[in-house]
Amino acid sequence: MPKVTFGHTGNTVELANGSSLIDLEDTGKSEVPFGCRSAACGTCAIDVTAGMNNLSPKNEDEIDLLDTLDMDGDKRRLACQCTLYGDITIIPIN
Ligand code: FES
């Protein structure tokens, strides 16, 4: 199963391949806060420091909100919009 590493603490969580990163909450070990879960609030913003290729590409809603919040950048994602396909390392922004 793909492994999510929280870069700021070194803690790890495994999720099934093809999981949404929202599923981190079900593990009880999420270090990413979630709000709307629908690309509307920006609460779940993360920087992906390794494994960006192991996430689904940005969708239009994600691109639009990151742009609106002036949070666009190569490493920045909204966790609620990401599907996991391999190991990643992330740092929550909020
Ligand atoms: S939880 Fe609101 S944008 Fe992801």
Side-chain angles (χ1 to χ4, degrees):
M1 293 203 296
K3 183 171 63 177
V4 177
T5 300
F6 299 103
H8 59 302
T9 62
N11 293 330
T12 62
V13 177
E14 288 187 341
L15 292 177
N17 193 43
S19 294
S20 166
L21 289 186
I22 293 172
D23 295 342
L24 285 168
E25 289 206 314
D26 295 336
T27 69
K29 298 177 181 177
S30 179
E31 297 179 14
V32 178
F34 289 93
C36 68
R37 301 173 174 217
S38 59
C41 71
T43 302
C44 67
I46 55 174
D47 275 343
V48 181
T49 59
M52 182 67 88
N53 291 343
N54 291 329
L55 293 174
S56 55
K58 291 178 183 175
N59 61 42
E60 276 191 38
D61 290 342
E62 182 179 5
I63 292 168
D64 287 349
L65 183 62
L66 288 172
D67 185 53
T68 298
L69 297 175
D70 199 22
M71 294 177 78
D72 50 345
D74 289 345
K75 295 181 179 178
R76 190 67 46 90
R77 297 296 306 266
L78 296 176
C80 71
Q81 300 301 299
C82 294
T83 302
L84 183 67
Y85 297 108
D87 294 351
I88 60 170
T89 301
I90 59 176
I91 298 174
I93 302 304
N94 295 305

